[in-house]
């Protein structure tokens, strides 16, 4: 068992020492833990990645004293160049239009690269329900979102019977990504001896660029 004798942060940290210390989980006097050391490196890399340093690295350099059973750690920060996202592209959306995907982006073209914004954009694409579960992947050089589309509509046909109304037939058709626009439509027909019911609904979740939705129902 080795104890940490010292923890130093060197290199071009970009962030202030006070800010960078928030991500350091290894402290002097602790029992050495490779897990905490890796989490510290990953946290610093993530922090730099959120302000444009897409290729940041942290190199832990150990200084071992075998007689005293201690190890000092020098966390050498190498931020690399700060990166601007020039273009965001999409692959695999054979049916869904680019506009539907682009409006879910939280990483913007012409802005500093942000890993948090990339991750948030990926989550928002997956939540659309237009793609296979877990299929949204991101390439960061350049920024490309790879997707695999899945079925986004349903068709239901059914029968029912009661002594009061007799045989009831129901037909329902719904599509959550109508013609690849991201708009939602639903149509239903229900008929029996005493009733003929027709309904239609429509929803545009992005009627405005700010995300205001517009929908209506007709019976």
């Amino acid at each position: 068992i080795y104890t940490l004798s010292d923890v130093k942060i060197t290199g071009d940290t970009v962030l202030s020492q006070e800010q960078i210390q928030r991500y350091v989980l290894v402290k002097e006097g602790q029992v050495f833990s490779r897990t905490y050391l890796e989490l510290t490196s990953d946290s610093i890399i993530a922090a730099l990645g959120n302000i444009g340093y897409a290729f940041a690295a942290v190199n832990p350099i150990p200084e071992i004293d075998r007689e005293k059973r201690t190890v000092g750690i020098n966390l050498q920060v190498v931020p690399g160049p700060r990166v601007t996202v020039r273009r965001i592209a999409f692959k695999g959306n054979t049916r869904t239009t680019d506009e539907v995907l682009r409006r879910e982006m939280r990483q913007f073209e012409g802005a500093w690269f942000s890993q948090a914004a990339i991750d948030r954009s990926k989550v928002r694409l997956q939540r659309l329900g237009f793609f296979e579960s877990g299929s949204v992947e991101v390439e960061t050089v350049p920024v490309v979102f790879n997707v695999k589309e899945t079925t986004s509509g349903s068709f239901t046909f059914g029968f029912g019977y009661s002594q009061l109304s007799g045989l009831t037939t129901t037909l329902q058709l719904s599509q959550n990504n109508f013609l690849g626009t991201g708009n939602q439509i639903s149509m239903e027909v229900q008929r029996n001896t005493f009733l003929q019911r027709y309904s239609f609904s429509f929803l545009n979740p992005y009627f405005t660029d700010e995300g205001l939705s517009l929908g209506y129902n007709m019976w």
Side-chain angles (χ1 to χ4, degrees), residues 55 69 82 140 147 159:
F55 308 106
R69 295 284 183 175
R82 200 176 189 190
T140 56
V147 299
F159 292 98

Side-chain angles (χ1 to χ4, degrees), residues 173-202:
L173 175 66
S174 63
Q175 174 58 253
N176 293 327
N177 187 18
F178 183 63
L179 298 179
T181 62
N183 295 335
Q184 302 171 19
I185 65 167
S186 177
M187 294 177 287
E188 182 180 6
V189 177
Q190 189 178 78
R191 301 184 65 178
N192 58 38
T193 305
F194 303 104
L195 172 70
Q196 292 188 29
R197 181 176 182 271
Y198 304 89
S199 65
F200 175 82
S201 64
F202 171 85

